[in-house]
Amino acid sequence: MTTDYSLCRDGVALFDLSTEARFLVSGPTAETALNALTTIDVSILRPWRGKMGLFLAPNASIIAIATFFRADDRFYIFAEAAVADRLRTYLGDEIAAHGATLTDLSQSHCLYSVAGPRAQEVMISAAGDDVVGLPFLSGEHNAELSATVFRMGNTGEFEYRLMADAAQASALTDRLCEHGASFGIAPAAAAVMKTLLLEMRSLSDDDIPADTSPFEAGLHWMMNFRKDQPIAAAVLSQSKATPRTRCVAVTIEGVDVVLPANARLFIEDQDVGVLASSEYSQALSKYVGVAYVAPEFGWVGVNFVAQTPTGNAIVRAVSAPMLVTNTAKQA
Amino acid sequence: MTTEMTLQTAHDVAKRRRELTERMKCKLIERLSLQLSSDEIADDSPLFGTGLSLDSVDALEIAILIELEFGVAVSDDELASFRSVNTLVDLVQERMNHVEEQV
């Protein structure tokens, strides 16, 4: 795991993300259908540009975090593997109800990620110079790779997602490994993504407790406030004014043991919140995670205590992203 | 400080941070003409690429804002640490704490 982490933070890693969710929404009502279901305004997306948004339940809880790309009159939707079944069911019902067509690409297409500070060099070699001009959250078809290339991802590094016909998977990875060899590319386990994402405070499904609103999770930057929210408008308004909890990025110090998910957090003897998840950060040499705490204490600099069999751990609210990546330093 | 806090200290730390964060958001909205209210900006929202979708010109505007409004000079190296509202507040708070310690 350590090697996989270093590959992505210091060099370039190749992740097989084929278990992640990916859908295509098409038909004359595709735009209307998506606008009725998501928190962003997809009508303002230019061709081959993308944006992150949310699917919300009627109680304003988060069904899924997704990345949307417009491809002419069609839309691609990407989301993490953990929400694939939930999203398939939800979209299957809702997209059809709006008269659009949903195509599940999860089996028919493979999905890989080339990520790390050297990812751009690998992609120039494998896909051609044009990829340099590909801005974050944009995509294009690449003839060299016979794949659609998307600049997306939340690791804080250069990250390219490549989607191709499933039958082309071996040819695609062979080409990436061949062209990436001189840059040290190697396959990495997708499991390490969790740590990379937590360091950036990019939330995954298991970081978000049930019934948490976007405001409580700090994900309201994935909402378009100038658009009428067709789902959960009243609940969102209330949650904006009086959130029940605040999500904060945290570092954990004082113990050598892993804190369990759902460990309670205290100030003096007052129970003020819960640790949602944590992972060991090699770059920071400590555990990092996210916690949900009482709104009055959900601010950077506040220290909480989590009790463990070997002593008290100090759980400190910190700013995110927690580190400046090598890619960010290059930029 | 990574020690246990009393409730009173936690309240004080949170209050100071909340006030500074709110002030930073209001100044960003004003300086960059953002069509948002301060409670629509998440503290850890990315500033560039996604989130507020700012660009390199905005980064320079933020550096000027921090110098004019908070009296904190920003070096070129520190521009790389501009990643979210919280990281901006960290920079300002760190300098303020340093000045207070010297006084």
Side-chain angles (χ1 to χ4, degrees):
Chain A
M1 197 69 87
T2 297
T3 305
D4 290 353
Y5 177 92
S6 303
L7 269 176
C8 189
R9 282 281 177 247
D10 303 323
V12 55
L14 175 62
F15 294 100
D16 182 352
L17 299 181
S18 293
T19 59
E20 296 213 335
R22 48 205 177 276
F23 301 95
L24 184 67
V25 180
S26 58
T29 59
E31 182 180 297
T32 312
L34 276 182
N35 256 354
L37 299 176
T38 182
T39 54
I40 61 167
D41 184 355
V42 298
S43 72
I44 59 176
L45 281 181
R46 287 180 286 145
W48 292 104
R49 289 303 177 100
K51 201 164 183 62
M52 294 185 72
L54 304 166
F55 289 108
L56 299 179
N59 69 351
S61 63
I62 297 163
I63 295 172
I65 300 169
T67 307
F68 302 83
F69 285 90
R70 175 193 285 274
D72 303 319
D73 57 345
R74 301 162 296 151
F75 293 88
Y76 288 106
I77 303 171
F78 295 91
E80 65 175 303
V83 302
D85 289 342
R86 189 189 312 157
L87 204 49
R88 190 175 295 115
T89 303
Y90 175 73
L91 292 176
D93 295 340
E94 297 292 338
I95 294 292
H98 286 84
T101 302
L102 180 74
T103 306
D104 186 349
L105 304 175
S106 306
Q107 299 298 319
S108 60
H109 288 67
C110 59
L111 184 68
Y112 291 90
S113 168
V114 179
R118 306 206 70 178
Q120 193 174 56
E121 296 169 87
V122 172
M123 288 299 293
I124 290 170
S125 175
D129 290 341
D130 285 356
V131 294
V132 174
L134 204 58
F136 186 61
L137 291 179
S138 66
E140 65 183 12
H141 181 74
N142 185 273
E144 305 280 338
L145 295 172
S146 298
T148 309
V149 179
F150 297 93
R151 269 286 310 275
M152 60 185 288
N154 297 300
T155 60
E157 306 291 355
F158 280 127
E159 199 173 342
Y160 297 85
R161 299 275 171 102
L162 297 94
M163 188 172 69
D165 190 289
Q168 299 294 317
S170 293
L172 179 61
T173 54
D174 286 351
R175 185 174 173 88
L176 291 169
C177 288
E178 179 190 337
H179 283 266
S182 59
F183 303 102
I185 196 171
V192 78
M193 275 277 184
K194 180 69 182 176
T195 307
L196 301 168
L197 294 175
L198 274 179
E199 288 170 340
M200 298 293 110
R201 194 204 184 277
S202 296
L203 302 188
S204 307
D205 187 56
D206 61 354
D207 300 324
I208 307 172
D211 298 335
T212 302
S213 81
F215 291 100
E216 292 162 345
L219 295 178
H220 46 294
W221 59 271
M222 295 185 198
M223 297 174 64
N224 184 324
F225 292 99
R226 307 283 84 82
K227 167 194 169 190
D228 287 336
Q229 292 297 339
I231 296 174
V235 188
L236 282 172
S237 178
Q238 185 181 355
S239 181
K240 182 182 178 185
T242 54
R244 298 163 299 177
T245 183
R246 269 174 70 88
C247 178
V248 286
V250 295
T251 57
I252 301 165
E253 295 173 30
V255 291
D256 294 328
V257 297
V258 186
L259 289 180
N262 300 319
R264 301 304 309 181
L265 302 180
F266 296 85
I267 299 177
E268 294 189 45
D269 58 353
Q270 188 172 320
D271 185 338
V272 295
V274 63
L275 181 73
S277 60
S278 62
E279 295 284 337
Y280 186 76
S281 164
Q282 190 182 328
L284 298 173
S285 301
K286 62 180 78 168
Y287 281 88
V288 300
V290 289
Y292 291 78
V293 298
E296 64 269 33
F297 295 118
W299 296 91
V300 171
V302 174
N303 293 349
F304 310 93
V305 169
Q307 294 162 348
T308 80
T310 56
N312 285 348
I314 301 296
V315 178
R316 179 174 174 78
V318 297
S319 295
M322 297 185 207
L323 56 93
V324 180
T325 63
N326 286 323
T327 298
K329 287 174 190 166
Q330 285 178 35
Chain B
M1 185 173 69
T2 49
T3 56
E4 294 184 24
M5 282 183 172
T6 64
L7 281 164
Q8 187 57 54
T9 303
H11 272 297
D12 292 345
V13 168
K15 179 172 180 286
R16 185 176 187 216
R17 182 74 184 197
R18 185 175 65 243
E19 289 171 352
L20 198 52
T21 304
E22 178 68 15
R23 191 174 152 208
M24 179 66 76
K25 287 180 184 177
C26 290
K27 295 299 177 189
L28 286 171
I29 290 166
E30 187 181 307
R31 182 93 193 179
L32 304 176
S33 303
L34 302 177
Q35 300 300 304
L36 293 166
S37 60
S38 61
D39 57 1
E40 292 170 347
I41 300 175
D43 300 354
D44 287 322
S45 162
L47 296 177
F48 307 100
T50 183
L52 292 182
S53 299
L54 304 180
D55 58 25
S56 54
V57 176
D58 294 320
L60 296 176
E61 285 290 331
I62 293 171
I64 294 168
L65 176 162
I66 289 176
E67 184 149 10
L68 290 178
E69 300 292 342
F70 298 94
V72 171
V74 180
S75 68
D76 288 347
D77 289 346
E78 286 167 330
L79 283 175
S81 67
F82 286 10
R83 315 307 298 178
S84 63
V85 171
N86 260 336
T87 60
L88 301 179
V89 177
D90 281 349
L91 176 68
V92 170
Q93 193 166 21
E94 192 178 296
R95 295 291 179 81
M96 285 177 164
N97 289 345
H98 184 66
V99 170
E100 283 173 12
E101 282 168 15
Q102 285 188 324
V103 171

